[in-house]
Amino acid sequence: MKAITLSARKLLMSIGCMACPVFAGAHGIDDHSTDPAYAKYYQQPVNWGGCPPSLFTDGTTIQCALVTVPVDWADPGQGDIAIGISRPLDPPPHSRLLLVNAGGPDNSSASMAEMLEQLHPEVQTGHLVVGVDLRGITDGTGTQVSCDYAPRSGAENFMDGDSRNPTVAGVRAQQDWWNRSMSACLQQHATLLKGINTPNHVRDLNLVRAILGFRRADLFGVSSGSSLMAYATRMFPGMFERVVLDSNMNWEHLDWQRQSLKRMAMDQLSVQQAFMPFIARHDDQFHMGTTPQQVLTTFQRIYRAASEHRMGSVTPDQALGALDGTGMWVFWDLLVSPSLSAMSQALDGDPAHIAYAEQIAAMTFADLRTRSSFNPMAFALQCNDSGSSDPRGIAQKIADVRRYWAIGASTLVDYCQNWPWRPVVDRALERRTVVHGLMLQNEFDPSTPYSEAFEDRLTNGRDVRMVLVNNGATHGIMFDDNTCTNDTEFAYLNFGVMPARDVVCQADPMHSFAMHDSVTYEYGFPATGWWLPLPPIVQQVSWPLVP
């Protein structure tokens, strides 16, 4: 949040080595920039205008524009769609381009780029910062689609608002309902949905670079955006130079369903070892108890009351959904604390307290039973990229939901079970190429587990470095103001200085806007010097939701 510090300048001279040119003379695969069939895309003007409010920001300090891209880069005759991009309203002098993707994958990169500029203005040192939305996202300005859910039978797990109490028949009914919903969606929008995949997103990024007049670009990807930016360096190594990967998926072998399984266990461990202790230390905000065990007991009472319909229309899934927002500190004041506090107070049976709990639950967490339509973008991306790869049977899924109750139910349905197209991620390209970049990673990140980032780091060798935040327990390092990570990150991004070896930074205590801890957490392997510790053992999970 401040200009480059003295320690960063020392870093330039002491620990860094100038980043080597990216694959000198290498051009990757053809980007069609000289093909007449694609000339209209590369020659299009960019017309900047206002930006709508978004999830994180109000859009007042940025400009937005629409970029036309082919719905299928392999066949421009299939038609066109539009994606949204953003830039600062008054960009400072710059000679480089930084393309930002917000992850999600259904997050607005326009708002994330704006938030990045506000939290870390040093990101604009020599850079024009441009947010680039994925095609089809809900929280964006480009081409979108909406599909109707299939009629519900009443047998699905969530029909009583309680996906954490599955049965074999319920799982089968939910899978059948999803298959019918997506089948109808594909009949309506097959051409567009087939084109939503990581290789096409990379080509969109490259097009934005070209039409903005830059020969090369730097990249900043957060969360699932790390997989996009990593794949971009594989496809076009000569086009993308300094690459920052914040909160890493397993981009060494991109597989969305297996990533979800790893996240399920790590998220549960973090709920037990970090988030419930945090809630206990801030009882004045959450009203759930002053010890982790008291917090768990209160939450078990909330879950039971919702299951027995003693909390009005509040469902067990809405109660569990409150905990799903704890991975990012920005949500503790905005969503988590108000939701859990209201539900805790409603346990007294007071009609006024119940009414408030109903109001905030409905406002904050969607009840799937009342939703009539959905945006298929995120599902299309996952299915097109890596397909159906969950090896578990129904019995194992049910067992996992009961053990990893925080988000385990999100893995019950195989969204790609009847997907009509083969996965498009090029495994041969993954095997024969490496990723060049700087990885940023929290040790106890519940959404993009360190175990996956650790595998990326080991497999990719010396072509990447990792900045690990020891005992960091949240998601998204860009949201924190850690001097150690900032100095290393911006020495690389702004000056091309890659650290000579991995960097281990120490986490600041967990915090939000109104709540600040005085301690950090240690439930993994201790870090020693600059050596990366082993990932935490997720089998430590031991707290049942239902006693």
Side-chain angles (χ1 to χ4, degrees), residues 38-83:
Y38 296 85
K40 71 172 185 177
Y41 305 111
Y42 281 94
Q43 295 173 8
Q44 65 182 296
V46 180
N47 300 310
W48 297 102
C51 297
S54 191
L55 177 63
F56 295 106
T57 55
D58 60 11
T60 58
T61 67
I62 55 176
Q63 295 176 305
C64 288
L66 292 176
V67 174
T68 301
V69 299
V71 69
D72 183 357
W73 273 94
D75 182 5
Q78 291 289 322
D80 299 336
I81 56 175
I83 62 170

Side-chain angles (χ1 to χ4, degrees), residues 356-493:
Y356 181 61
E358 290 178 314
Q359 178 185 4
I360 196 167
M363 177 179 63
T364 321
F365 303 101
D367 183 347
L368 193 58
R369 300 172 300 172
T370 64
R371 300 184 69 180
S372 60
S373 62
F374 66 101
N375 183 330
M377 172 267 169
F379 308 110
L381 174 61
Q382 297 174 28
C383 298
N384 283 326
D385 276 358
S386 53
S388 179
S389 59
D390 186 347
R392 302 173 303 161
I394 291 180
Q396 185 60 54
K397 289 182 177 182
I398 291 174
D400 286 345
V401 169
R402 290 172 178 162
R403 184 175 190 187
Y404 308 119
W405 42 265
I407 61 168
S410 65
T411 67
L412 280 174
V413 171
D414 182 349
Y415 295 105
C416 307
Q417 188 179 76
N418 294 333
W419 199 249
W421 304 295
R422 294 176 60 85
V424 300
V425 167
D426 189 338
R427 300 305 182 193
L429 180 69
E430 288 182 329
R431 287 191 299 271
R432 71 173 183 264
T433 59
V434 293
V435 174
H436 292 261
L438 183 68
M439 304 172 65
L440 308 176
Q441 183 71 34
N442 279 320
E443 184 181 11
F444 303 138
D445 187 325
S447 297
T448 50
Y450 171 46
S451 60
E452 300 294 274
F454 189 71
E455 184 175 335
D456 291 337
R457 174 65 187 88
L458 291 183
T459 306
N460 213 67
R462 293 182 57 82
D463 292 283
V464 296
R465 298 288 186 274
M466 179 184 287
V467 181
L468 175 72
V469 182
N470 184 46
N471 301 329
T474 56
H475 180 56
I477 290 176
M478 67 162 283
F479 296 109
D480 274 324
D481 189 20
N482 185 306
T483 300
C484 175
T485 59
N486 289 350
D487 286 351
T488 310
E489 174 183 2
F490 290 108
Y492 168 66
L493 191 59

Side-chain angles (χ1 to χ4, degrees), residues 51-52 54-57 59 61-65 84-88 100-102 107-117 129-134 137 139-141:
C51 297
S54 191
L55 177 63
F56 295 106
T57 55
T61 67
I62 55 176
Q63 295 176 305
C64 288
I85 63 174
S86 71
R87 71 175 184 182
V100 176
N101 179 263
N107 289 338
S108 165
S109 293
S111 67
M112 188 67 78
E114 184 178 25
M115 192 173 187
L116 179 63
E117 295 153 19
V129 180
V130 173
V132 182
D133 283 344
L134 298 183
I137 68 170
D139 191 23
T141 57

Side-chain angles (χ1 to χ4, degrees), residues 157-158 160-164 299 302-303 305-307 309 311-326 335-344 354-371 405-406 409 545:
N157 297 325
F158 56 81
D160 199 35
D162 188 2
S163 298
R164 273 75 174 183
F299 190 80
I302 291 172
Y303 178 82
S307 299
H309 308 289
M311 201 173 286
S313 62
V314 178
T315 68
D317 282 349
Q318 287 176 320
L320 269 296
L323 287 178
D324 194 25
T326 54
L335 301 179
V336 180
S337 172
S339 300
L340 292 178
S341 176
M343 293 175 191
S344 178
I354 291 175
Y356 181 61
E358 290 178 314
Q359 178 185 4
I360 196 167
M363 177 179 63
T364 321
F365 303 101
D367 183 347
L368 193 58
R369 300 172 300 172
T370 64
R371 300 184 69 180
W405 42 265
L545 175 60

